[in-house]
Amino acid sequence: MQCQLRRFVAAAIFASFFTLGICIPALADFVVAKSGSDTNPGTAARPFATLARAKQAVRERLGAGIDADLTVLVREGTYELPEPLVFEPADSGTAQHAVIYAAYPGETVVLSGGHQLAGFEKGDGGVWTVPVPAAADDKPSPRNLFVGERRAVRARTPNADAQPNCVQLKAVEFAPDRSHFALTLPAGLLGDWQNPDRVEAMIAGNWAINRKRVASIDATKNTVVLAPPHRHGPRYIFPSPGRWCYFENAPELLDQPGEWYLDRKSGQLSYRPRPGEDMGQSRAVVPRLTRLVEIRGTAEQPVRNVRFRGLRFVHTDWQLPPDGYMGIQACHHAHSDRAGLRWQRIPAAVSMRYAEGCRVEDGVLAHLGGTGVELADGCRDCVIQGNHVYDVSANGIMVGGPNVEVLVPRANRVANNHVHGCGVEYYGAIGIWVGFSQGTAVAHNLVHDLPYTGISVGWQWNPEPTPCRENLVEANHVHNVMNRLCDGGCIYTLGFQPGTVIRANHLHDVNRSPMAQGAPNNGMFIDQGSKGYLFERNVIYDTSAQPVRFNQCQHDWHTWKDNHIGAEAEVKESGKEIIARAGLETAR
């Protein structure tokens, strides 16, 4: 009893000191440090070296039972993970006590799925080179390079800073038997590029994009033949004349500061530094992993009460499938394999399935080649809170999925996250996406600077009942969205969701890009089948089209109360109290 009381008091003191940025190392059950060794006992004086060893020690301690939270403190430094950290039911806390993996207060802890490059040499024309040994073997070659705190650009044409930075297709040939897929481009774009089979094409659709590898190039005819296998996608997304595109990953395109190219045959990476970058000092990282952390429970045995606090999750990659990427919506794509045509989603760096009471708090998810974090099938009472999510190739945060045949997530919370700069590679990305889900709360998030929609809720294109219901989108500040594609807005909804509430959100600056080809962009786009919502006390202004738009649903399928929609000056005055409370909370 005295031991239990001592642990309770220690835990309370630790929580207080953690909030104040002060730490008493003795209160940690285990400590991990760059200077440690996995043969150590994991104490403050003799810490472990890896989180994998700490996880093993936690599992052993759990086997004996716990009567208080069990805490692993991680000291300052970058920890390159050789493989994802996988948490299973045996790694769970209890209903009363959590297993916590936390950064040592006041220190920066980075969990990286990448490998730092060393040995850059200066070559001709301001280009620096470095060997990437893994690129020359059978492993997939990296699709991303991160230099310091910035993502480098795969050498491309038109250049990323060009105006416009895409060109329009002149013609498209797609054989009915799917044996041939070719594009015709404007004269002067293509060249006699080396290694054309390494080149990749990005072709934008209305609300999603396509990415395909190239098979051959004929610069004299201005044509590109795309690499098989092929399939036909929805006409709103599928390549067609007039669609915007660019090409990347040819050495001849390496002509701008911040661009890079990896020669797969030699394993040599070439990089043209940005002004101020010293490649003898700058940290350059190529990602190796797709996932960093995976919580992997089952319907019968969920993973319970595992928490990550104050950690930075960085440097992941995702390889294109053999048939390329043909987006459907929200970074979901249809993928062909031996089982037939299946829905897939771009994977997340931190993924949870059948998790209960698990949390990712006060951390960073950045420099990622896929999605940031997801609460997928069977997650319940989980929290994604207080994180900074940016420089992400696909979606920022995801809850739920497109499948009603699994146990949908329930009673999860996404709150006080700062989400921006998503959709770097996949323009159809969404800041915060909620699919089939019940009782998800999306509250007090700051979401901005996105190529497509800010927050999306729902996933059925008709008004038939599904498990999706009773979700809450409240007090979010969403702005500067729809910077590439079209047919979306600050908030987007789909399907019948009885009891869903969209309340007190501050929505503005919905843009219209020259690349947008299709339907308008709005403050709120209430799409097909949307029914049964309460829209209350939202503030909407400065939208490129009408503030609220309906498609195959109607206004009177919902309840509307005291919304402030109209001219900026007028609604900012009438809705000033709503605006003041929307977005990130200063204290939680």
Side-chain angles (χ1 to χ4, degrees):
M1 184 67 177
Q2 288 181 340
C3 178
Q4 184 173 354
L5 179 61
R6 180 179 62 80
R7 293 292 298 275
F8 174 81
V9 172
I13 294 172
F14 174 77
S16 299
F17 275 51
F18 195 98
T19 302
L20 294 172
I22 304 169
C23 180
I24 299 178
L27 296 181
D29 294 273
F30 299 106
V31 176
V32 177
K34 294 289 292 180
S35 60
S37 169
D38 283 350
T39 61
N40 286 342
T43 62
R46 300 178 62 200
F48 293 135
T50 67
L51 276 85
R53 177 64 184 95
K55 186 170 75 72
Q56 178 185 351
V58 167
R59 182 179 285 197
E60 292 167 357
R61 178 76 62 84
L62 290 168
I66 58 174
D67 58 6
D69 289 350
L70 200 163
T71 300
V72 176
L73 279 184
V74 188
R75 299 303 306 262
E76 178 99 19
T78 296
Y79 297 79
E80 292 185 354
L81 302 180
E83 59 186 9
L85 293 167
V86 177
F87 294 82
E88 297 175 322
D91 303 302
S92 294
T94 67
Q96 294 79 29
H97 305 299
V99 174
I100 301 169
Y101 294 82
Y104 193 103
E107 297 186 356
T108 300
V109 175
V110 178
L111 305 187
S112 171
H115 170 68
Q116 182 173 355
L117 302 177
F120 273 93
E121 296 183 356
K122 188 173 182 179
D124 297 333
V127 175
W128 291 65
T129 60
V130 66
V132 182
D137 59 25
D138 292 333
K139 296 179 182 179
S141 58
R143 290 175 50 84
N144 281 288
L145 169 69
F146 302 97
V147 180
E149 284 298 307
R150 301 180 70 179
R151 182 189 301 241
V153 177
R154 279 215 295 185
R156 53 169 282 179
T157 186
N159 285 315
D161 62 355
Q163 295 296 329
N165 61 7
C166 293
V167 298
Q168 290 181 282
L169 298 176
K170 293 292 186 181
V172 174
E173 296 179 14
F174 187 81
D177 64 358
R178 305 185 182 189
S179 62
H180 180 73
F181 196 173
L183 313 174
T184 301
L185 284 303
L189 179 74
L190 304 174
D192 187 19
W193 301 337
Q194 300 176 37
N195 306 322
D197 61 332
R198 299 295 180 192
V199 175
E200 190 173 299
M202 188 293 300
I203 308 106
N206 286 23
W207 60 81
I209 69 160
N210 308 274
R211 282 186 174 269
K212 288 281 288 183
R213 295 182 181 89
V214 168
S216 63
I217 296 170
D218 189 332
T220 61
K221 295 182 179 179
N222 305 309
T223 57
V224 170
V225 176
L226 300 177
H230 303 307
R231 59 181 176 78
H232 204 292
R235 64 185 179 89
Y236 297 104
I237 312 298
F238 194 73
S240 60
R243 293 290 193 193
W244 294 91
C245 71
Y246 66 80
F247 294 86
E248 64 182 20
N249 205 37
E252 296 83 359
L253 306 180
L254 185 60
D255 59 358
Q256 288 277 305
E259 288 189 335
W260 68 287
Y261 172 75
L262 176 61
D263 187 322
R264 181 68 184 269
K265 293 180 181 177
S266 68
Q268 178 173 275
L269 185 148
S270 300
Y271 176 65
R272 191 179 292 275
R274 295 181 173 100
E277 289 179 339
D278 178 356
M279 298 315 296
Q281 301 294 326
S282 297
R283 178 179 173 85
V285 176
V286 290
R288 297 178 298 180
L289 301 183
T290 298
R291 293 201 194 280
L292 302 177
V293 171
E294 183 173 358
I295 290 185
R296 189 191 296 165
T298 66
E300 295 76 23
Q301 284 189 295
V303 176
R304 292 187 170 94
N305 218 352
V306 175
R307 303 180 182 183
F308 306 95
R309 183 181 297 156
L311 304 174
R312 295 176 62 93
F313 302 94
V314 301
H315 305 144
T316 63
D317 227 343
W318 180 64
Q319 298 295 323
L320 284 187
D323 55 350
Y325 173 86
M326 196 163 286
I328 302 297
Q329 188 160 316
C331 293
H332 292 75
H333 62 110
H335 173 56
S336 301
D337 60 16
R338 293 180 180 178
L341 194 63
R342 300 185 294 120
W343 284 80
Q344 285 195 340
R345 63 208 287 172
I346 297 177
V350 177
S351 176
M352 302 189 197
R353 277 178 166 76
Y354 293 101
E356 291 188 4
C358 296
R359 295 176 173 235
V360 178
E361 299 178 293
D362 303 324
V364 173
L365 296 110
H367 314 317
L368 303 174
T371 287
V373 56
E374 67 174 353
L375 302 177
D377 309 343
C379 288
R380 184 167 187 159
D381 297 315
C382 295
V383 176
I384 309 296
Q385 179 169 269
N387 301 288
H388 189 187
V389 182
Y390 68 97
D391 188 25
V392 177
S393 289
N395 295 324
I397 299 172
M398 302 182 72
V399 180
N403 191 351
V404 296
E405 297 175 357
V406 299
L407 182 62
V408 301
R410 297 187 177 188
N412 299 294
R413 183 170 177 82
V414 178
N416 282 289
N417 300 287
H418 183 187
V419 181
H420 62 102
C422 303
V424 176
E425 292 188 88
Y426 303 92
Y427 295 159
I430 290 170
I432 301 173
W433 180 85
V434 179
F436 289 125
S437 176
Q438 181 174 347
T440 292
V442 179
H444 286 287
N445 299 284
L446 174 59
V447 181
H448 61 97
D449 291 287
L450 298 171
Y452 182 56
T453 286
I455 297 173
S456 176
V457 184
W459 194 251
Q460 176 133 316
W461 284 262
N462 61 54
E464 297 301 316
T466 72
C468 195
R469 58 182 60 235
E470 298 160 2
N471 297 304
L472 172 67
V473 180
E474 182 174 43
N476 301 284
H477 183 189
V478 186
H479 67 98
N480 195 28
V481 298
M482 306 305 300
N483 290 320
R484 292 288 186 274
L485 304 184
C486 68
D487 215 10
C490 289
I491 292 178
Y492 173 93
T493 71
L494 266 178
F496 182 32
Q497 298 183 45
T500 288
V501 176
I502 298 178
R503 174 194 293 138
N505 298 286
H506 181 199
L507 314 174
H508 61 98
D509 286 286
V510 180
N511 302 311
R512 184 77 177 181
S513 162
M515 283 179 59
Q517 296 175 319
N521 301 337
N522 315 94
M524 293 194 297
F525 178 25
I526 317 304
D527 203 1
Q528 190 170 354
S530 293
K531 187 176 182 180
Y533 308 170
L534 167 62
F535 293 92
E536 182 177 30
R537 303 181 67 241
N538 297 289
V539 177
I540 308 175
Y541 59 89
D542 196 8
T543 61
S544 60
Q546 61 266 49
V548 180
R549 178 166 63 96
F550 300 89
N551 176 50
Q552 300 187 60
C553 61
Q554 54 198 52
H555 184 280
D556 61 5
W557 288 4
H558 310 280
T559 301
W560 300 82
K561 295 181 179 179
D562 191 27
N563 292 284
H564 301 256
I565 301 172
E568 179 176 353
E570 179 181 335
V571 300
K572 286 177 80 172
E573 175 59 29
S574 64
K576 61 185 178 182
E577 293 183 2
I578 299 168
I579 291 172
R581 295 190 180 102
L584 301 175
E585 296 174 295
T586 55
R588 291 185 275 113

